[in-house]
Amino acid sequence: MKKYFSTLPLLALLAACGPKQSAEFIITVTNEQAFDRSEEMVEVPISAVTEKVQLIDEEQYIVVDAEGNQVPYQITYDDKILFPATVKAGSETFYKVQVGEPIEPEKLVYGRHYPERVDDIAWENDRTAYRAYGPALQRNGERAFGYDAWVKRVPHLVVEQRYATELNVEARNEIRRLKKERKFAEADEIFRSISYHVDHGDGLDCYKVGPTLGCGTAALLEGEAIVYPYCWRNHEILENGPLRFTVKMEYNPLTVNGASDVVETRIVSLDKGSQLNKTVVSYAGLKQPTPVATGLVIHPENQTSDAYAIEAEKGYIAYADLTDNVNNDNGIIFVGAVVPEKVNEAKVVMFPDKEAKERGASGHVLAISDYKPGSEYIYYWGSGWTKYGFASMDEWTAYLDRYAQCVRNPLKVTF
């Protein structure tokens, strides 16, 4: 079924022909918490709307708040109307879906597959950006298992331009020519001018992943050992803004606790305004309940006691990463994960010396939960940066704490 967004007609979503049954569809959003909820995404099944408000000819829907102001929305891949809601503490507010001319929302969420860069899938919103590695990278032998975090400090989209500049063929050829002529300073100057590992004013890639869980990847456990997933083998981008990006990735079979054909599927979504990705993980072929760990890589540059935050009961873990060059004024990348369901244990696990050398990392901060065959493991992971909104670890953990409260106590939506 083709999906329509807020700027396109929604005729394909009509449940039946005939006159309108109602002029509007009223949605009540209730916040039962003792703090305000601002611009938080809520969903309503499109089928419920079409039963009440039907479209004729080229008509379209709009969403308006209690004051009559239009609110941007998106029709999701699973047939829901998605829009941001703002509700004061301990109160409720109202939104309406009705016929009208929708506003053109600014697109601040985007991602795509980059086959020109060894099959990366990269995506971003107005706050941050991420990357998952693909089969071409696995074929060339590079070991990169986890999610990558790209920091940014501007709200507009930057990832497409970063790749275009980094992979500029003419510049790369000129660098090779200069190196052959032993003009290394000139070559380095061009390299720095195009590299996304250099901050050109909007942020950069300065986070190390390697053969680790990186910025919040989930993995099954065999005893205490992590069964590392490698790169995705196939993918499908399910939706691409303006409010949410969603990608589905399937991974190569693993052998876990005697089961030799365990296939992991991930559905990763990033909403406008959020630092964290929602991720739904399932494991086909798993024969028995198995622990699943969400991990944040620990790098040798920062192993101090105040580098971590471990809050199993509150449902989050965090780490302050000093980036791949602590002397380059890259700031600090705060990484974290939130688990709505029960976290059995959260802890720091350091690698033995030999493994630390092989992985180029010191260990992981892990949040461990249970996974039952046939179920879904849902959690959230992501990052913040000292140069874009988070001045300290305390600010980052406060964000994670509030985020965990929100996903454990979602806004109540009735209609």
Side-chain angles (χ1 to χ4, degrees), residues 174-185:
E174 181 66 7
I175 290 169
R176 283 191 287 270
R177 183 188 69 80
L178 290 169
K179 285 184 175 179
K180 285 182 181 179
E181 297 176 2
R182 304 187 65 81
K183 297 179 179 179
F184 298 115

Side-chain angles (χ1 to χ4, degrees), residues 365-394:
V365 186
L366 298 178
I368 302 171
S369 302
D370 293 323
Y371 178 82
K372 295 180 180 179
S375 68
E376 295 177 334
Y377 173 59
I378 300 174
Y379 74 105
Y380 301 77
W381 60 274
S383 65
W385 193 27
T386 49
K387 295 189 177 185
Y388 196 41
F390 296 93
S392 67
M393 184 67 157
D394 286 344

Side-chain angles (χ1 to χ4, degrees), residues 16 69 71 79 99-100 103 110 117 137 146 174 188 233 260 277 289 295 300 306 315 333 356 363 376 385 405 407 413:
N69 302 308
V71 177
D79 297 324
V99 175
I103 59 174
Y110 178 75
R117 220 307 299 194
L137 183 134
E174 181 66 7
D188 184 65
R233 66 175 177 179
S260 59
N277 300 266
D306 59 354
I333 302 175
E376 295 177 334
W385 193 27
Q405 292 182 62
V407 296
V413 180

Side-chain angles (χ1 to χ4, degrees), residues 28 38 67-68 73 132 147 160 187 200 205-206 230 234 237 273-274 302 304 308 321 349 361:
T28 304
S38 179
E67 286 73 42
Y73 72 93
Y147 296 118
E160 189 78 1
H200 302 291
D205 173 19
C206 56
Y230 212 158
N234 54 61
I237 292 178
S274 179
N302 196 9
T304 59
Y308 324 105
D321 195 292
V349 178

Side-chain angles (χ1 to χ4, degrees), residues 108-394:
L108 296 176
V109 179
Y110 178 75
R112 77 169 175 92
H113 172 218
Y114 291 86
E116 65 270 35
R117 220 307 299 194
V118 289
D119 281 334
D120 289 351
I121 296 174
W123 63 97
E124 65 179 307
N125 65 4
D126 51 319
R127 300 297 309 166
T128 187
Y130 300 100
R131 172 164 65 172
Y133 299 111
L137 183 134
Q138 183 170 346
R139 285 194 298 270
N140 74 21
E142 184 174 343
R143 299 171 74 226
F145 300 156
Y147 296 118
D148 190 16
W150 282 15
V151 292
K152 54 184 290 188
R153 50 177 169 167
V154 292
H156 60 266
L157 300 175
V158 300
V159 169
E160 189 78 1
Q161 184 58 47
R162 285 189 192 179
Y163 273 112
T165 304
E166 172 82 11
L167 302 175
N168 184 281
V169 174
E170 292 181 359
R172 290 287 171 180
N173 288 338
E174 181 66 7
I175 290 169
R176 283 191 287 270
R177 183 188 69 80
L178 290 169
K179 285 184 175 179
K180 285 182 181 179
E181 297 176 2
R182 304 187 65 81
K183 297 179 179 179
F184 298 115
E186 292 94 329
D188 184 65
E189 183 178 355
I190 296 176
F191 170 79
R192 291 186 59 80
S193 72
I194 66 172
S195 175
Y196 53 46
H197 296 282
V198 176
D199 188 352
H200 302 291
D202 59 30
L204 72 161
D205 173 19
C206 56
Y207 182 77
K208 294 185 293 186
V209 179
T212 75
L213 296 178
C215 180
T217 305
L220 296 171
L221 298 178
E222 285 186 324
E224 295 293 321
I226 296 171
V227 183
Y228 288 94
Y230 212 158
C231 300
W232 57 267
R233 66 175 177 179
N234 54 61
H235 82 285
E236 179 184 3
I237 292 178
L238 301 177
E239 54 196 341
N240 212 344
L243 301 178
R244 174 178 291 170
F245 169 84
T246 301
V247 61
K248 179 179 180 180
M249 294 176 283
E250 184 182 84
Y251 284 72
N252 291 300
L254 298 169
T255 298
V256 184
N257 292 325
S260 59
D261 193 25
V262 177
V263 176
E264 176 186 358
T265 299
R266 305 178 196 172
I267 299 178
V268 182
S269 298
L270 180 64
D271 289 348
K272 174 184 175 295
S274 179
Q275 305 289 145
L276 306 186
N277 300 266
K278 178 182 180 181
T279 301
V280 181
V281 181
S282 59
Y283 297 95
L286 196 65
K287 304 300 183 184
Q288 62 189 44
T290 305
V292 60
T294 297
L296 309 171
V297 63
I298 299 169
H299 287 121
E301 294 83 0
N302 196 9
Q303 301 180 50
T304 59
S305 60
D306 59 354
Y308 324 105
I310 301 170
E311 296 286 352
E313 289 189 6
K314 293 182 177 180
Y316 71 85
I317 56 175
Y319 172 67
D321 195 292
L322 300 184
T323 81
D324 60 5
N325 188 339
V326 297
N327 300 313
N328 199 42
D329 190 31
N330 287 335
I332 301 172
I333 302 175
F334 301 113
V335 293
V338 168
V339 182
E341 299 300 324
K342 181 182 178 182
V343 176
N344 294 337
E345 184 181 15
K347 60 183 179 179
V348 171
V349 178
M350 306 303 282
F351 298 138
D353 290 344
K354 182 180 179 181
E355 185 176 1
K357 185 175 181 180
E358 291 173 349
R359 296 189 185 277
S362 300
H364 289 107
V365 186
L366 298 178
I368 302 171
S369 302
D370 293 323
Y371 178 82
K372 295 180 180 179
S375 68
E376 295 177 334
Y377 173 59
I378 300 174
Y379 74 105
Y380 301 77
W381 60 274
S383 65
W385 193 27
T386 49
K387 295 189 177 185
Y388 196 41
F390 296 93
S392 67
M393 184 67 157
D394 286 344

